[in-house]
Amino acid sequence: MSQVRQTPIPTPRVTEADYLHAEQLADTRHEFIDGVVYAMAGSGYNHNCITVNISSFFGDHLKGTPCATFVAAMKVRLGRDYVYPDVVVDCSKMAGDDYFATAPIVIVEVLSRSTRKTDTTTKLIRYINLPSLQEYMLIEPDFVSVQVLRRVNHWQSEYFYLGDSVTLAALDLTLAVADIYDRVNNQDMEEFRREGIVEVKA
């Protein structure tokens, strides 16, 4: 998710309408799952690099199409729940005053220790039940691993690593895993860069 989830706000369960009204006035973002409001905290360097890389590739590729790319601040409605994915592509005709997307075709989540369980269980179940969603991408920031689940493959997981390319059929876009991790600082990328320097000098 776009930001690390904290513990639920210690208030009674609220209604969907109350959440939506309060969220428009709030200074910080909150997710709403099963009637519980969750405050969102900040995310780190690697997380943000990956999010910006993905959103830039998507935005450039989709320029001139009806599809819009949203980063972190656009809610997605999942039945009566609302969440903030890291990157969302929605090709429906949204109105200028819409505060949430209802028909995403691609969702990307950058994982963390605090969000991995939710992103791979609670959110996964809700995401794959969205009729519009075609592909769900999960990216590890602390090591190189890209997981893609596709509707056409019955949501079976596919994994991609350095040296691989990932094709998102819903967008007709292919990305090199190394480009997804551009500027990211983790052990896998540090070794990858060292090996690349040795190969160039040779």
Side-chain angles (χ1 to χ4, degrees):
M1 68 177 54
S2 59
Q3 299 184 331
V4 178
R5 175 178 299 181
Q6 296 180 323
T7 55
I9 295 176
T11 57
R13 289 177 180 268
V14 300
T15 66
E16 178 182 356
D18 288 342
Y19 162 75
L20 290 172
H21 176 71
E23 192 67 359
Q24 290 187 39
L25 305 175
D27 293 329
T28 59
R29 283 167 285 182
H30 307 81
E31 294 191 327
F32 181 71
I33 299 177
D34 291 333
V36 179
V37 176
Y38 295 87
M40 312 305 295
S43 53
Y45 173 83
N46 283 348
H47 187 123
N48 280 286
C49 281
I50 294 169
T51 300
V52 170
N53 289 342
I54 290 287
S55 61
S56 297
F57 292 135
F58 286 6
D60 290 344
H61 179 71
L62 297 171
K63 189 176 296 183
T65 75
C67 300
T69 303
F70 302 105
V71 183
M74 175 60 74
K75 293 187 291 297
V76 171
R77 185 176 71 185
L78 307 171
R80 294 184 177 179
D81 298 333
Y82 295 84
V83 298
Y84 287 96
D86 284 306
V87 184
V88 179
V89 176
D90 192 308
C91 298
S92 64
K93 293 182 178 180
M94 297 178 66
D97 59 352
D98 282 344
Y99 285 92
F100 53 83
T102 60
I105 62 170
V106 172
I107 289 176
V108 179
E109 295 281 17
V110 182
L111 303 177
S112 70
R113 292 176 183 172
S114 62
T115 68
R116 184 176 289 102
K117 182 177 180 180
T118 301
D119 289 341
T120 58
T121 56
T122 303
K123 285 189 175 181
L124 171 61
I125 293 170
R126 287 163 170 76
Y127 284 158
I128 67 178
N129 281 306
L130 281 170
S132 63
L133 191 69
Q134 300 302 310
E135 290 162 318
Y136 180 33
M137 176 184 285
L138 302 103
I139 305 173
E140 294 282 358
D142 297 329
F143 55 93
V144 175
S145 176
V146 178
Q147 180 183 2
V148 179
L149 300 91
R150 311 176 197 271
R151 182 175 297 277
V152 295
N153 290 341
H154 308 289
W155 304 112
Q156 297 298 308
S157 294
E158 302 171 50
Y159 291 91
F160 302 88
Y161 306 98
L162 284 170
D164 296 336
S165 292
V166 183
T167 296
L168 296 173
L171 307 182
D172 190 25
L173 174 64
T174 298
L175 301 174
V177 170
D179 289 338
I180 293 173
Y181 284 86
D182 183 42
R183 297 188 303 279
V184 169
N185 291 324
N186 61 37
Q187 184 174 346
D188 289 344
M189 287 305 297
E190 289 172 3
E191 292 177 357
F192 177 76
R193 294 183 187 109
R194 286 198 297 269
E195 292 172 358
I197 292 172
V198 170
E199 290 175 1
V200 170
K201 289 182 176 180

